[in-house]
Amino acid sequence: MDKEHQMEGNMEQGRHTYQRESLSLALSMVLVSAFWILLGPVAVQLIHPIGLPYLTANAPFLAMGLGIVVSLRFLLARSFTQLATDHSRFRFPLFGRAFLAYFFTATLFLLFFFLSDPDSIDIHPAPLRQKLLMLLLVVVITPMQTSSEEVLFRILPVRIVTGKTLGVGKLHRLFASLFSALLFALPHLGNRELTQAQSPAIVLCYYALFGFLVTSMSLQSGGFEIALAVHAANNLFVALICNYQGSSLPSLPLFESTRALGTWTDLAQLTAGLVAVWLACRSAFSSPQAPKD
């Protein structure tokens, strides 16, 4: 009887711990969203007079990032590493493999577009001095922007769904990945890309697929290093190497694409990039239930 009471007590304690943890994560989502929605426009007004569209577009994410810092300090009482991975350390080698695999795939597709349709890829006509300044800004700000989005739209909600550990069963993982796909698609409904796309449905499918597949890989690996890397690689490539006309994140890249947005080629590139990431990181998927460092 004593053992049964002890087991029941441990289960009850576990439920209370899970409830407190979920509440803290949910409150963190609310707090970060409040910083983004309420302070974001203030940040835009403060930064807009500088006259750099890139800074203005990223101003709301500065507010979002501040909300994450406050949340980690006062609500979650944990480090970013403890939030981002179940492992004892942030796995930079895994992050690097995922980043390079995705970035390299995007480069190959750019080369393909240049060879197959050279008129669709133009050299961006900005002065070198301006591009160097933009390079410094992008290297600092874009990873902050992508990491902030990852925390709000993937890491926090997935943590709420999975509980204490990311090493959950297949059904649980499927639900968390579908939930992430929805959360990634919804905030992008106001993006310029949807109004300019040849097929808005393909653009939405792109966002949802990005949310679903990257979350699935993150859960299998026991951490969000892959998600943080892929998102950073995608946005850094767009900001520095090849952006497109009417982009939601204007920059001064080396090249500018005039190709139509929202095509099946976009989905093919995303799929190829994520397959490359999976191949580069597949060793991390062997034992998500028991993280090893």
Side-chain angles (χ1 to χ4, degrees), residues 7-22:
M7 291 178 61
E8 291 178 359
N10 290 339
M11 292 177 62
E12 187 67 22
Q13 184 179 1
R15 281 194 293 268
H16 286 312
T17 301
Y18 172 72
Q19 290 172 355
R20 288 195 301 269
E21 178 79 4
S22 297

Side-chain angles (χ1 to χ4, degrees), residues 18 45 56 59 77 181 184 192 218 220 231 235 280:
Y18 172 72
Q45 292 179 356
T56 301
F184 245 93
R192 299 175 185 175
S218 297
Q220 291 183 65
H231 203 157
N235 285 32

Side-chain angles (χ1 to χ4, degrees), residues 134-167:
M134 181 62 65
L135 171 64
L136 294 175
L137 291 175
V138 168
V139 169
V140 173
I141 294 177
T142 292
M144 179 280 303
Q145 175 252 318
T146 57
S147 297
S148 297
E149 282 197 38
E150 285 295 320
V151 170
L152 180 57
F153 299 123
R154 194 191 313 270
I155 298 177
L156 287 175
V158 169
R159 286 283 189 190
I160 293 174
V161 173
T162 60
K164 186 178 180 180
T165 176
L166 298 176

Side-chain angles (χ1 to χ4, degrees), residues 78-92:
R78 66 174 72 177
S79 67
F80 178 79
T81 296
Q82 291 172 320
L83 182 67
T85 183
D86 283 356
H87 295 249
S88 60
R89 297 183 302 273
F90 189 89
R91 294 167 293 173
F92 284 102

Side-chain angles (χ1 to χ4, degrees), residues 173-215:
R173 192 162 65 232
L174 175 62
F175 176 74
S177 299
L178 288 171
F179 185 45
S180 179
L182 176 64
L183 288 180
F184 245 93
L186 287 177
H188 292 92
L189 291 178
N191 278 15
R192 299 175 185 175
E193 286 80 356
L194 274 177
T195 59
Q196 299 174 356
Q198 179 174 299
S199 172
I202 289 180
V203 176
L204 284 176
C205 184
Y206 182 101
Y207 293 136
L209 193 64
F210 181 87
F212 180 86
L213 293 179
V214 175
T215 296

Side-chain angles (χ1 to χ4, degrees), residues 50 61 90 118 161 204 292-293:
I50 297 176
F61 300 105
F90 189 89
V161 173
L204 284 176
K292 296 179 182 180
D293 297 297

Side-chain angles (χ1 to χ4, degrees), residues 221-235:
S221 70
F224 293 96
E225 291 92 344
I226 291 174
L228 290 162
V230 169
H231 203 157
N234 180 80
N235 285 32

Side-chain angles (χ1 to χ4, degrees), residues 105-150:
T105 304
T107 303
L108 288 180
F109 268 81
L110 174 61
L111 180 60
F112 168 76
F113 296 140
F114 180 78
L115 293 176
S116 62
D117 186 11
D119 291 337
S120 68
I121 306 295
D122 298 323
I123 296 177
H124 197 282
L128 179 61
R129 183 177 178 181
Q130 292 183 15
K131 288 190 177 183
L132 290 176
L133 173 61
M134 181 62 65
L135 171 64
L136 294 175
L137 291 175
V138 168
V139 169
V140 173
I141 294 177
T142 292
M144 179 280 303
Q145 175 252 318
T146 57
S147 297
S148 297
E149 282 197 38
E150 285 295 320

